[in-house]
Amino acid sequence: MDSWEFGPTVRRWRDRVAPATVGVARGRRRRATGLRREELAELAGISVDYLTRLEQGRATAPSAQVVEALARALRLTDAERDLLFRLAGHTPPGLNLVSTRITPSVQRLLDRLANTPVAVYDATWTLITANAPYDALMGPTTNWRGIERNSIWRYLIGPGSRVVHTPEERADQQARLVADLRLTAARYPTDQRLKRLIRELAAQSPRFVELWEPGNFEPHQDQGRRKIVDHPDVGHITLECDTLVVAADDLRIMIFTAEPETEDAERLAFATVLGTQSLVD
């Protein structure tokens, strides 16, 4: 198929997406029945300029990551997603690759949790998407690029997260994440993106090399669901952190909640309001 079809196809599918289905307020003066270009760009995590060039055929080689992000934002079916990959010149991801696909059923779950901090990771612990309450609680994720989106990198080399850990807890978190990555590598032995991630982690972190040794294969004991988040404006918030594994798609859904009618629930609500306001501003 010719690459020039990619842009018009994205435009047609953008026009058919009802704003309410993706959490966009319609507004009284809205003329377009579908998504505006800037709305799709925000949902996909790309610039409006780049989306404009894609739709107009002035950019003709989007990466597989961009195609996946557009497919997710447009709520495409599996067949439509495969077509979009082919129009972009990519082979649709197969069963032997780590999936970054958020299925319609998982998306419906995220829609129902729109007011709760939620993040979705693939089987390599690379962030696929996080909602606005999550960014308000844990800090903005939309500017993370490449390996910055990987939790193992963030805990071994990067800045970590706002969750408060003792040195022992941090070390155990690192060990559990690396152990889970080893299990993922065993399930997807031909995934080149996964192999590249492992090479990058090994090149940057002696700690990763140590944990990757055969004797450290088994995941360590989890520290429990209760986490303390150090929010820069609200202070410490004690929350329950549940990670749900979607077995069929090998996804990890991380959800933060507070016990109702507690000071922590009030702090979480306040942090969400502050964060979402700053994101809008």
Side-chain angles (χ1 to χ4, degrees):
M1 295 184 182
D2 294 326
S3 60
W4 65 265
E5 295 184 62
F6 182 88
T9 301
V10 170
R11 174 59 192 270
R12 287 195 302 272
W13 285 341
R14 173 166 67 83
D15 287 342
R16 75 179 187 184
V17 178
T21 64
V22 293
V24 174
R26 183 176 176 83
R28 292 183 178 179
R29 297 183 180 180
R30 188 182 190 97
R31 295 180 179 179
T33 56
L35 290 177
R36 296 189 177 106
R37 188 172 283 156
E38 60 269 22
E39 292 166 345
L40 176 58
E42 182 178 357
L43 289 169
I46 61 177
S47 70
V48 177
D49 176 69
Y50 184 49
L51 178 58
T52 302
R53 289 186 286 118
L54 283 173
E55 289 191 348
Q56 294 177 350
R58 293 185 288 120
T60 57
S63 68
Q65 290 77 18
V66 167
V67 177
E68 186 67 74
L70 286 170
R72 183 166 60 248
L74 291 166
R75 307 292 177 91
L76 300 185
T77 65
D78 289 344
E80 291 169 340
R81 170 178 174 264
D82 289 352
L83 174 60
L84 197 64
F85 269 91
R86 292 192 178 94
L87 291 177
H90 298 292
T91 301
L95 296 176
N96 59 337
L97 301 179
V98 175
S99 176
T100 59
R101 166 75 160 151
I102 294 182
T103 60
S105 60
V106 172
Q107 185 61 58
R108 286 192 294 271
L109 174 63
L110 299 182
D111 291 342
R112 289 179 178 272
L113 296 173
N115 298 318
T116 301
V118 180
V120 183
Y121 296 84
D122 68 17
T124 70
W125 282 101
T126 297
L127 181 68
I128 300 175
T129 187
N131 64 7
Y134 182 92
D135 281 1
L137 175 67
M138 302 298 288
T141 63
T142 53
N143 293 327
W144 294 357
R145 294 292 181 268
I147 202 169
E148 292 178 336
R149 300 183 70 82
N150 183 263
S151 287
I152 302 172
W153 179 87
R154 299 191 74 82
Y155 271 96
L156 287 170
I157 303 157
S161 75
R162 289 179 178 176
V163 175
V164 178
H165 292 291
T166 66
E168 293 78 12
E169 289 171 341
R170 185 179 179 88
D172 194 62
Q173 175 78 350
Q174 293 169 347
R176 290 190 301 105
L177 288 170
V178 173
D180 195 46
L181 185 66
R182 289 200 63 178
L183 295 174
T184 297
R187 288 196 299 275
Y188 304 97
T190 62
D191 189 308
Q192 295 303 312
R193 183 174 66 93
L194 172 55
K195 290 182 178 181
R196 186 165 58 251
L197 171 64
I198 293 169
R199 288 196 299 269
E200 289 186 58
L201 291 171
Q204 296 182 42
S205 173
R207 170 69 170 160
F208 176 81
V209 176
E210 172 192 341
L211 293 171
W212 194 256
E213 292 299 318
N216 292 313
F217 189 74
E218 290 298 326
H220 287 208
Q221 182 69 30
D222 194 356
Q223 301 131 3
R225 294 185 303 174
R226 183 158 293 188
K227 309 292 182 185
I228 299 175
V229 176
D230 186 10
H231 191 278
D233 298 316
V234 179
H236 283 189
I237 314 173
T238 301
L239 301 169
E240 300 291 333
C241 177
D242 292 285
T243 301
L244 312 179
V245 178
V246 183
D249 303 298
D250 220 353
L251 299 175
R252 290 98 171 94
I253 303 176
M254 184 176 293
I255 307 171
F256 284 90
T257 58
E259 185 177 347
E261 300 181 0
T262 63
E263 184 176 350
D264 290 305
E266 294 177 359
R267 289 181 177 179
L268 176 58
F270 187 42
T272 300
V273 170
L274 288 176
T276 51
Q277 284 180 344
S278 65
L279 289 173
V280 172
D281 296 339

